Structure formats: C-alpha cells, structure tokens
Amino acid sequence: MTLIDQVIRIINTGGTFNKRYDPLEGKLFVPTDNLAVESAIASMRHGCEIKISGTIYKDSLEMDSADRDLLCEIVTKVAEKSIVIVHGTDTMDKSAKALDEWLGKSNDKRVVFTGAMVPFSIDPIEATANLVMSISSVQFLEPGVYIAMHGRVLPYDKIKKNREIGIFEPV
Amino acid sequence: MTLIDQVIRIINTGGTFNKRYDPLEGKLFVPTDNLAVESAIASMRHGCEIKISGTIYKDSLEMDSADRDLLCEIVTKVAEKSIVIVHGTDTMDKSAKALDEWLGKSNDKRVVFTGAMVPFSIDPIEATANLVMSISSVQFLEPGVYIAMHGRVLPYDKIKKNREIGIFEPV
Amino acid sequence: MTLIDQVIRIINTGGTFNKRYDPLEGKLFVPTDNLAVESAIASMRHGCEIKISGTIYKDSLEMDSADRDLLCEIVTKVAEKSIVIVHGTDTMDKSAKALDEWLGKSNDKRVVFTGAMVPFSIDPIEATANLVMSISSVQFLEPGVYIAMHGRVLPYDKIKKNREIGIFEPV
Amino acid sequence: MTLIDQVIRIINTGGTFNKRYDPLEGKLFVPTDNLAVESAIASMRHGCEIKISGTIYKDSLEMDSADRDLLCEIVTKVAEKSIVIVHGTDTMDKSAKALDEWLGKSNDKRVVFTGAMVPFSIDPIEATANLVMSISSVQFLEPGVYIAMHGRVLPYDKIKKNREIGIFEPV
C-alpha cells in the first residue's frame, strides 16, 4: 500500500502550463496534446496510478460557458473520486465556481484545479511543483472544489490570483 | 488556512539530487549548499513555510556512521514535527533504519527521506517531483520514518531501490 | 594571433532571438537588454574581442523607417569594420536592403544580419549557432551586407526566409 | 553559393562534449553515438553540408596510441579537405601533435580540433559555440592542424588549456 493509494484522474484543459512555441507563427500556443503534463509526472507514474484525459485545450481567457459545461460533464462522468484539473490561471476560479455549483451538495468528489504562470516548456519547475502538489494532496481532502497553486491548497473561493505579482494568495 | 498548514523542515544531506558539474575537475560533485533544493521549491515557498538546513553534503555511498549519528541528532533537535530529508538514494534505507532506531517507540515526528536518480542540475523534473511529493505528503503521515520516491510514499522498510532499473519499488 | 583577430561589434536590435516570457502578461516580449546575446557568446569572449551595443529592442514586424535610419546611423558611427546585427527574422531583409543603400558603393564595412526562429530563452541552440557562425565568418567577407542563418552566409539579397518551413534558403 | 561552400567532415571521438548522465551507474559516460554533435548543429545542416563520423568514443584521458593511430588513419581516408574533430580537452593537444606529424609536410587538409569544458547535455551553449566556430572557420584556414576553443582558432601548438581556469589560451 502506498500513501497515494487511489487512482488519480487528471483532466488537462490547456492553459499556460501546456503552451509551446511555434516558430512559424512566432508565438506560444496551446497544443492539443498532454505532453507537458505527461513529462511533469513521468517519474511519479511508476508508483501511483494516474489517468490523463485531455479536452478543450484553450487559453483560459478563451473558455466560454459551453467549455465549462463540457468540463463539468467530464468530471461527473469519470469514475475516479480524486481529480486534478490542469487549467489556465486567468479563469481557474470561474471554472471552479461553475463546477462547484454543478456538483451540488451531494458531491463526493475531490477536485483540485492547478496550472502554471510559466509554460512547462520554458521552465518546468513551477509547473511540475504545482501539479505534483495537487496529485499528492487530492486524496487527503474533503469532497469539494479546490485550487492548488504556489504551495497552497485551498477551497476555490479562499484563494485568488494576485495579478500584480503573479502569485496565488489566500483571500 | 492552507492544506499544508505546518512548518516543514528540510534537512539537505547532499546526494545525487544536489550534484553539479565541475568543469575543472571534469566531474559531478556534491556542493556544500542548498541551491538545488531551493530552486526546486521556490514557487511553493510563497504558500507554505519551509525551513531548509544543510549538513553532511555527501554522496550517500560515502556516508559513515558518524554522519548518520549527526543526522539523527539534527532530527531530534529541530522544532518541527514534519521533516523531509534530501539524501543520496544508495544508502537512504540505511540512514532511515538508523534514524528509526534512534527515534524509538515514543517518536512523534514524521520524517520522509527523498532524493533523485538524476541531478536537479541535469534534469530538474524527477528531483522536483520527488521533493514536492514529500513536502505535500509529510503532514498527513503517522509519526514514523518513510521513503518517498517515484510516486510512492511508504514506511522506509516497505520500499527499496531496484538497482536494475533505477526505480524505487514496494517490497 | 587568433584567426578571429579583429574586434567584432554586435548591434542587438531585439527580435525573437532576445524574447523572454513575462508571467504577468502571459506572453513573450523583447527585453531592453542584451542578456541573450551575452549568454550565447560568453565562452567566445575569452578569446575574441566582441563589443555589444543594444538599440531599438523591437519585434522586427514593429520596426519602422525611423528605426532603420537609426540602425544605419549606428553602423556608420561605430569604429569597427566587422559588424553583426541581431535582428528579428521577419524584416531582416528589409533592414539589410536599407542599410546597403545607405552605405553606398564606397562602403568598407562587413555587416552580417542574424537572428533566430526560436527565442534563446526557450531553446538556446539555434540562436547560439546563428550568432557564432556570424561572428566567426564576418571578417572573411568582402565589404557588404549579408544575412547569416541556418548554416548559410550570403549577400542579403541572395537568401530569403521560407515562411512555410521557417528556414532561410538561397534565392 | 554560400560562404561555407565546402563539405565539412566532423569526426567525433567522444570527450566531455558528448558525455551524458547514466542514472543507474550514477555517473557521466561517453556514449557511443553522435547525438550531442547532431543536436548542436541541427539548424546549420539546413544550409551547409556536414558529414558526421563517430569513432573511439572515449574520455581523452583514456585514449592510447592505438586510438591516435586510428584517428590519423581516418583523417587520411576521408575525402573531405575540411575536417573538424570533436575530442576531449585533456589530450587534444597530444592528438593534434600526433596528427600533424602523421600528415607531414605535404598535407593539404585543414583539421580543427574542438571540444567542451561542460557536456552539451548539461549546458549546450559553450559546446555549441566551440563546434559552430570550428565549422565556420575551417575552410578559411591554411592546411594544417588547429585547435578552436573559447573564441580562438590557432595552430595546435600555439594554444593550450589553462587547467586552473578551464579556458584555452594562447602560448
């Protein structure tokens, strides 16, 4: 038995965490794959069972309510009770709120939103730290919707991105 | 309140995690500093209180019983109850056993040994994942001595380095 | 005496070569410094004298004719006869043409434009290769204006960026 | 026509330039492949014809006279007149001297030895700069045997590794 003994589901929706540079367009884009997520946790997967699904694949500023509905449906459908959602940081709180309302009072799932301020492809350290902290903490939480960033794991409405300094802080 | 609400103490003893390349000697060495540890968790420290001490600074194959005694004394002396020890992987189990015997039955500390198969300076991802998993898990453990590597957190005598493949596995 | 026995002047105007990621804005920007250029050639500067000036600091799509006039004036004013200009790839040919016309028939300077398809901060290899090739070749050229990219050093009007594949090719 | 209009032959003999980390052995080794060389010059090969051969694959401290004889034979046999040899820095001068004596007075080949103080796999910048400078300069040299390191390209007996600071300097 390991400490992390549950199957963890990662739902990758895109965001800065995943961005890569396109030399032809001369800009960063959100790829429609899970390479950054897979690279960040390759060594962890030897010891804990992590399933990865990808969807939406957008900068979170471009997510609309149809995207959020889709995300809510996926969370409902997956069998796992411990879920980590990789998401852009700009509207992470909005998606978390939508999901919390969708799941309602009888929810028995632990859902942690995480992401990164710097793309994994540019500097993998912060992105890896946020994702590994999320995976390592999720099964110890009460059912509910959380945000885990920069060393904090808090209910989604108790933590907020400070846009002046680029750090998530308690509210 | 954050999920990780305790002060975490990291005791850095060296090992592969910390190794850097010395161009003059043409080889990797264990530096007498904590730069790799500090870099791996820089973003986490915004949100959780982590104190770092450095000591011994050796490849774990070169650690002797005096080094292990010193490590045991430091663990006893520090005020924190949640402790992560960065250590070389080759004799991590030996130091963990020595510490467990030293602490005895009445121990109230949670101690997690971790490290890396590849130096943080060569590839930061595995090292960061191991360390962040250790920090994120330590306060949820019962008092005792553990090893956290490659997605597993287990009592030190339930996990062992498989030297054929370089992965820690349950025993 | 070294093979590269002349003082080389680098004029850094910005472009993709220099771009870095701004976590607060969530995008790449051209910094008003020469860090990428200095990092690429740090080891070369032990053995050959290279002076670096910075100016304009723009994505080359945003350069206007006033910027090009300024660049021409700087090339005229610097004492060195061997000059490398780090420039965005999109209008490198336009600036080279403007400079060639400005310098006229009696020009005695060797000027090489170079840049990168991927920022040095994301992947340093192509950027370093383009810049080092430019520095290593410039003093062997006849006076004139050249572009050096992707293994080729050619008069500016004999080489062109193939925008489909992101490679400079002979015309 | 490009400035670099000749076919360049790289003979990769190993050395620090090529070293990679072996997590199972816990140390750096010289792999029997040319991956580091190929990665350093991938972008250059779009524009200039570079052929790569690998041989010996040793730390240069372990090269013996049979290895040097083999290297001399290969230089003689290859068709190209412009040759870059990637070699460990510790006995680069010894191999260069042996080759110069082997080639004799009637030699019509330009041979440049280069290498790196830090493995390409740990920090690609110095290694890339040394190799690209060698490739860019070799065809402009008189026939003979040279060492190109740290911004200098000099006849092999006019440049020497300063072991105190890890930089090649003129003698």
Side-chain angles (χ1 to χ4, degrees):
Chain A
M1 194 206 75
T2 62
L3 184 70
I4 303 171
D5 61 355
Q6 301 194 336
V7 180
I8 312 283
R9 167 69 59 176
I10 297 178
I11 303 170
N12 181 29
T13 71
T16 295
F17 190 111
N18 291 276
K19 285 185 181 171
R20 288 202 298 268
Y21 190 73
D22 177 348
L24 298 184
E25 293 295 322
K27 58 186 181 190
L28 294 160
F29 70 106
V30 181
T32 56
D33 62 44
N34 307 314
L35 283 184
V37 170
E38 288 162 358
S39 299
I41 58 167
S43 68
M44 281 197 87
R45 297 179 87 179
H46 292 290
C48 66
E49 198 176 350
I50 302 171
K51 295 182 178 175
I52 303 174
S53 323
T55 185
I56 302 167
Y57 294 123
K58 284 189 183 173
D59 187 316
S60 75
L61 290 172
E62 290 166 15
M63 277 194 186
D64 57 25
S65 59
D67 294 321
R68 294 200 165 83
D69 288 351
L70 174 60
L71 179 59
C72 291
E73 283 165 21
I74 294 172
V75 170
T76 307
K77 278 185 194 160
V78 296
E80 295 78 20
K81 300 295 182 196
S82 294
I83 298 168
V84 172
I85 299 176
V86 177
H87 195 288
T89 60
D90 281 317
T91 69
M92 190 181 271
D93 54 345
K94 202 169 165 184
S95 294
K97 186 171 195 299
L99 179 62
D100 187 55
E101 288 167 3
W102 173 286
L103 291 172
K105 297 282 181 199
S106 62
N107 168 48
D108 64 348
K109 298 199 171 187
R110 297 168 289 272
V111 184
V112 176
F113 282 77
T114 194
M117 293 300 296
V118 179
F120 179 87
S121 66
I122 294 183
D123 182 350
I125 302 174
E126 180 227 354
T128 299
N130 289 334
L131 182 54
V132 172
M133 183 179 67
S134 301
I135 294 170
S136 303
S137 313
V138 63
Q139 72 168 316
F140 300 110
L141 298 165
E142 296 295 306
V145 180
Y146 301 81
I147 288 176
M149 288 288 290
H150 302 146
R152 290 187 176 91
V153 186
L154 284 168
Y156 76 92
D157 54 355
K158 304 292 183 204
I159 182 170
K160 204 170 173 58
K161 180 174 170 178
N162 178 332
R163 293 174 197 278
E164 306 288 310
I165 57 170
I167 301 294
F168 277 71
E169 297 180 333
V171 287
Chain B
M1 195 207 73
T2 63
L3 183 70
I4 302 173
D5 60 354
Q6 301 194 336
V7 181
I8 312 282
R9 167 69 58 175
I10 296 178
I11 302 170
N12 181 28
T13 71
T16 294
F17 190 112
N18 292 275
K19 284 185 182 172
R20 290 202 297 268
Y21 190 72
D22 178 348
L24 299 184
E25 293 295 322
K27 58 185 181 189
L28 294 161
F29 70 106
V30 181
T32 55
D33 63 43
N34 307 314
L35 284 184
V37 170
E38 288 163 358
S39 300
I41 59 168
S43 68
M44 281 197 87
R45 296 179 88 179
H46 291 291
C48 64
E49 196 176 350
I50 302 172
K51 295 182 177 175
I52 303 175
S53 323
T55 184
I56 303 168
Y57 295 123
K58 286 189 182 173
D59 187 314
S60 75
L61 291 173
E62 290 166 14
M63 275 195 187
D64 56 26
S65 59
D67 293 322
R68 294 200 164 84
D69 288 351
L70 175 60
L71 179 58
C72 291
E73 283 164 22
I74 293 171
V75 170
T76 307
K77 278 184 195 162
V78 297
E80 295 79 19
K81 299 296 182 195
S82 294
I83 298 168
V84 172
I85 299 177
V86 176
H87 195 288
T89 60
D90 281 316
T91 69
M92 190 181 268
D93 54 346
K94 202 169 164 185
S95 294
K97 188 172 194 298
L99 180 62
D100 188 54
E101 289 168 2
W102 173 286
L103 291 172
K105 297 282 181 199
S106 62
N107 168 49
D108 64 348
K109 298 199 171 185
R110 297 168 289 272
V111 185
V112 176
F113 283 77
T114 194
M117 292 302 294
V118 179
F120 179 87
S121 66
I122 295 184
D123 182 351
I125 302 173
E126 178 226 355
T128 299
N130 289 333
L131 182 54
V132 172
M133 182 179 67
S134 302
I135 295 170
S136 303
S137 313
V138 63
Q139 72 167 317
F140 300 110
L141 298 165
E142 297 295 306
V145 180
Y146 301 80
I147 288 176
M149 289 288 291
H150 302 146
R152 290 187 176 92
V153 186
L154 284 168
Y156 77 92
D157 54 354
K158 304 292 183 204
I159 181 169
K160 204 170 172 56
K161 180 174 170 178
N162 178 332
R163 293 174 198 278
E164 306 287 311
I165 58 170
I167 301 295
F168 278 70
E169 296 181 333
V171 288
Chain C
M1 195 206 75
T2 63
L3 184 69
I4 303 172
D5 61 354
Q6 301 194 336
V7 181
I8 312 283
R9 167 69 58 176
I10 297 178
I11 303 170
N12 180 29
T13 71
T16 294
F17 190 112
N18 291 277
K19 284 185 181 172
R20 289 202 297 268
Y21 190 73
D22 178 348
L24 299 183
E25 292 296 322
K27 59 185 180 190
L28 294 161
F29 70 106
V30 181
T32 56
D33 62 43
N34 308 314
L35 284 183
V37 170
E38 287 162 358
S39 300
I41 58 168
S43 68
M44 282 197 87
R45 297 179 87 179
H46 292 291
C48 65
E49 197 176 350
I50 302 172
K51 295 183 177 174
I52 303 174
S53 323
T55 185
I56 303 167
Y57 295 122
K58 285 189 182 173
D59 187 316
S60 75
L61 290 172
E62 290 166 15
M63 275 195 189
D64 57 25
S65 59
D67 294 321
R68 293 201 165 83
D69 288 350
L70 175 59
L71 179 59
C72 291
E73 283 164 22
I74 294 171
V75 170
T76 307
K77 279 185 194 160
V78 296
E80 296 77 21
K81 299 296 181 196
S82 293
I83 298 168
V84 172
I85 299 176
V86 176
H87 195 287
T89 60
D90 281 315
T91 68
M92 190 181 271
D93 55 345
K94 202 168 165 185
S95 294
K97 187 172 194 298
L99 180 62
D100 187 54
E101 288 167 3
W102 173 286
L103 291 172
K105 297 282 181 199
S106 62
N107 168 47
D108 63 349
K109 298 199 171 185
R110 298 167 289 271
V111 184
V112 176
F113 282 78
T114 194
M117 293 302 295
V118 179
F120 179 87
S121 67
I122 295 184
D123 182 351
I125 301 173
E126 179 226 355
T128 299
N130 289 335
L131 183 54
V132 172
M133 182 179 67
S134 301
I135 295 170
S136 303
S137 313
V138 63
Q139 71 167 318
F140 300 109
L141 299 165
E142 297 294 307
V145 180
Y146 301 81
I147 289 176
M149 288 288 291
H150 302 146
R152 289 187 177 90
V153 186
L154 284 168
Y156 77 91
D157 55 354
K158 304 293 183 203
I159 181 169
K160 205 171 171 56
K161 180 173 170 179
N162 178 332
R163 293 173 198 277
E164 306 287 311
I165 57 170
I167 301 294
F168 278 71
E169 297 180 333
V171 288
Chain D
M1 196 206 73
T2 62
L3 184 68
I4 302 173
D5 61 354
Q6 301 194 336
V7 181
I8 312 282
R9 167 69 59 175
I10 296 178
I11 303 171
N12 181 28
T13 71
T16 294
F17 190 111
N18 292 276
K19 285 184 180 172
R20 289 202 298 267
Y21 190 73
D22 178 348
L24 299 185
E25 293 295 321
K27 59 186 179 188
L28 295 161
F29 71 106
V30 181
T32 55
D33 63 43
N34 308 313
L35 283 184
V37 170
E38 287 163 358
S39 300
I41 58 168
S43 68
M44 281 198 87
R45 296 178 87 180
H46 291 292
C48 65
E49 196 176 351
I50 302 172
K51 296 183 176 174
I52 303 175
S53 325
T55 185
I56 303 168
Y57 295 123
K58 286 189 182 173
D59 187 316
S60 75
L61 290 173
E62 290 166 14
M63 276 196 187
D64 57 24
S65 59
D67 294 322
R68 294 201 164 84
D69 287 351
L70 174 59
L71 179 59
C72 291
E73 283 165 20
I74 294 171
V75 170
T76 307
K77 278 185 194 159
V78 297
E80 295 79 19
K81 299 296 183 196
S82 294
I83 298 168
V84 172
I85 299 176
V86 176
H87 195 287
T89 60
D90 281 315
T91 68
M92 190 180 270
D93 54 345
K94 202 169 164 184
S95 295
K97 188 172 194 297
L99 179 62
D100 188 54
E101 289 168 2
W102 172 286
L103 292 172
K105 297 283 180 197
S106 62
N107 169 48
D108 64 348
K109 297 199 172 185
R110 297 167 290 272
V111 184
V112 176
F113 283 78
T114 194
M117 293 301 295
V118 178
F120 179 87
S121 66
I122 295 183
D123 182 351
I125 302 173
E126 179 227 355
T128 299
N130 288 334
L131 182 54
V132 171
M133 182 180 66
S134 301
I135 295 170
S136 303
S137 313
V138 63
Q139 72 167 315
F140 300 110
L141 298 164
E142 297 295 306
V145 180
Y146 301 81
I147 288 176
M149 289 288 290
H150 303 146
R152 289 187 176 93
V153 185
L154 284 168
Y156 76 92
D157 53 355
K158 304 293 183 203
I159 182 169
K160 204 170 173 56
K161 180 174 170 178
N162 178 333
R163 293 175 198 277
E164 306 287 311
I165 58 171
I167 301 295
F168 278 70
E169 297 181 333
V171 287

